[in-house]
Amino acid sequence: MMSGFIYPVLSHWVWSEHGWLTSFTNDPLLGNGFIDFAGSGVVHVTGGISGFVGAKIVGKRRGRYDKRLEKIGIFKPQDVNAMALGTLILWFTWYGFNCGSTTKLSDNQFSVAGRVAVCTTLAGAISGATTLMITRYLDKEWNLPNTLNGLLGGLVGVTAPCAFIEPWAALIIGLLSGALYYVSSKLLVRIRVDDPLEVTCVHGVCGAWGTIAVGIFAKTEYIEDVLGFETDHGGVIYGGIQQLAVQCLGLVVILAWAGLWTTIIFYFLKQIKWLRVSKEHDQAALQKKMNDYEREQQLFHISKNQNIGDGPMEVQINDETSSSTTVSESDNIPVNGNNGIPMNNVTSTSSSYGISDDTTSGVAIFSDTTSSSFSSS
């Protein structure tokens, strides 16, 4: 449905000479029509709103917002090296994505492609650096996964305006993209929408910002170079609001179209039980994460308070599978040790955990019936 129906309709509206939002016609809407050079709106906002709707309807992973599991990093990214490599590869291929949208190098488009490459580089770099410093200042940590996502947010944000702006504008767009990514990622956690890849933040929020940025920073001269017709309508800083108005209109249309259809699709899949794994698989996945953490503690002795021995283990997890229910969290287990890990004695001779689920109270219980333990005594 996404590639066969939702995307094609939006692409037709924006990039076809017969589309009602298009710039490629003799009489574009509000002067220039809706401008989206390489897809901040058509591609990224569509993906972002679809990801948000999907995450909301699917619901959160079991135990996702339990404070104790967060403190021991159960849901943090597992392979940061692969994330970094993938991000750098994606950044490199972004030049083909953005510069290639000129479609040719003749008729002065060679200089357009060069400007696109410069703006793409600047926005991605400054966005990643902005996210890095915000995270360091506010969260008191150097967070590489956040930095990588912030970098991608900058690339997403500059994708629509990259052919129409000066390099200094690309720096502003990248800086705000990094900040918007950080704020939106915190907001998702606060409203309990479990978006593991943060598609909503990187593609949805930053894509929306990039779409609007065209209406603020687009230079009239560059619009003429790219679109091939004379115009008096540029961004707000060049003395006009018409372009900003049509950009906002196009953004609302994209959000409404993609959001409506993905809601219908995801809701239907949920009703026929094709959308989510069984409760047993969900529990088994979380059990495996707990086992992996246990083995890591045995091998590396992260905490000075950690000993190897025998003892009972019980960790109570407050969890509700319904994404529409408010999650209440108790914090009865004392927290101490390094990195806020709950322990006085972390003991283990076995990594076999049993997981039971109290369906009447909405509480999942992790317990080891053999000898492994996190003990608060």
Side-chain angles (χ1 to χ4, degrees):
M1 286 294 292
M2 179 68 75
S3 60
F5 178 63
I6 297 174
Y7 268 129
V9 171
L10 290 173
S11 298
H12 174 79
W13 287 347
V14 175
W15 289 325
S16 168
E17 62 181 9
H18 303 295
W20 67 279
L21 286 170
T22 188
S23 297
F24 306 104
T25 182
N26 294 328
D27 186 23
L29 182 66
L30 294 179
N32 297 330
F34 179 76
I35 296 177
D36 187 356
F37 184 69
S40 287
V42 175
V43 177
H44 295 286
V45 172
T46 300
I49 187 62
S50 301
F52 176 80
V53 169
K56 182 65 177 176
I57 293 177
V58 170
K60 62 187 179 64
R61 291 164 288 178
R62 188 172 298 277
R64 170 62 180 89
Y65 296 110
D66 185 272
K67 291 181 179 179
R68 282 145 300 211
L69 292 185
E70 288 186 359
K71 286 169 184 173
I72 63 177
I74 292 297
F75 294 101
K76 287 185 177 180
Q78 300 299 305
D79 194 341
V80 179
N81 293 329
M83 287 181 64
L85 177 61
T87 300
L88 291 175
I89 292 173
L90 191 55
W91 192 357
F92 177 76
T93 58
W94 218 284
Y95 294 103
F97 186 64
N98 282 5
C99 299
S101 294
T102 60
T103 69
K104 60 182 178 180
L105 296 178
S106 59
D107 300 329
N108 199 38
Q109 294 303 296
F110 189 89
S111 62
V112 173
R115 183 168 62 248
V116 168
V118 170
C119 291
T120 299
T121 303
L122 292 174
I126 195 66
S127 183
T130 299
T131 304
L132 176 67
M133 299 312 298
I134 291 176
T135 305
R136 179 67 183 91
Y137 179 75
L138 296 180
D139 297 343
K140 311 301 181 185
E141 65 175 349
W142 300 106
N143 191 312
L144 181 57
N146 276 12
T147 301
L148 297 173
N149 277 341
L151 188 158
L152 291 177
L155 296 175
V156 169
V158 81
T159 294
C162 57
F164 309 102
I165 60 175
E166 296 282 8
W168 61 263
L171 289 174
I172 297 175
I173 291 170
L175 189 148
L176 290 178
S177 294
L180 286 170
Y181 159 73
Y182 178 85
V183 171
S184 59
S185 68
K186 295 297 183 183
L187 180 61
L188 277 188
V189 174
R190 181 174 292 274
I191 65 176
R192 296 295 194 263
V193 175
D194 186 12
D195 183 354
L197 299 181
E198 297 187 313
V199 171
T200 305
C201 312
V202 175
H203 298 276
V205 174
C206 293
W209 159 234
T211 302
I212 293 172
V214 175
I216 300 174
F217 299 108
K219 192 174 182 179
T220 306
E221 175 187 345
Y222 293 159
I223 293 175
E224 293 176 349
D225 287 344
V226 176
L227 299 182
F229 57 77
E230 294 185 0
T231 180
D232 297 325
H233 306 296
V236 171
I237 64 172
Y238 294 101
I241 62 170
Q242 285 182 265
Q243 193 59 51
L244 179 60
V246 74
Q247 294 301 122
C248 291
L249 172 62
L251 177 60
V252 170
V253 169
I254 292 169
L255 289 171
W257 176 261
L260 171 65
W261 284 107
T262 50
T263 298
I264 294 172
I265 293 167
F266 279 117
Y267 184 76
F268 172 74
L269 292 175
K270 183 177 182 178
Q271 295 305 305
I272 62 175
K273 302 187 184 304
W274 281 12
L275 196 57
R276 186 166 184 151
V277 298
S278 67
K279 189 184 211 178
E280 291 74 18
H281 281 88
D282 212 359
Q283 289 177 328
L286 189 51
Q287 175 179 322
K288 182 179 184 301
K289 283 182 174 290
M290 294 295 292
N291 292 346
D292 291 343
Y293 174 76
E294 169 76 13
R295 283 191 290 271
E296 180 181 318
Q297 296 298 296
Q298 291 181 44
L299 292 172
F300 298 105
H301 304 283
I302 294 177
S303 173
K304 293 180 181 179
N305 296 324
Q306 184 173 354
N307 300 306
I308 296 180
D310 295 329
M313 175 209 169
E314 185 171 296
V315 178
Q316 183 169 344
I317 308 300
N318 287 313
D319 187 28
E320 296 170 8
T321 57
S322 172
S323 61
S324 62
T325 305
T326 301
V327 178
S328 61
E329 294 176 326
S330 61
D331 202 4
N332 298 324
I333 298 178
V335 176
N336 52 28
N338 290 348
N339 300 319
I341 297 173
M343 60 180 69
N344 279 333
N345 295 306
V346 180
T347 62
S348 175
T349 56
S350 168
S351 58
S352 174
Y353 294 92
I355 301 179
S356 61
D357 185 46
D358 182 351
T359 56
T360 61
S361 64
V363 175
I365 305 297
F366 290 80
S367 61
D368 182 6
T369 56
T370 57
S371 60
S372 247
S373 86
F374 289 112
S375 175
S376 60
S377 60

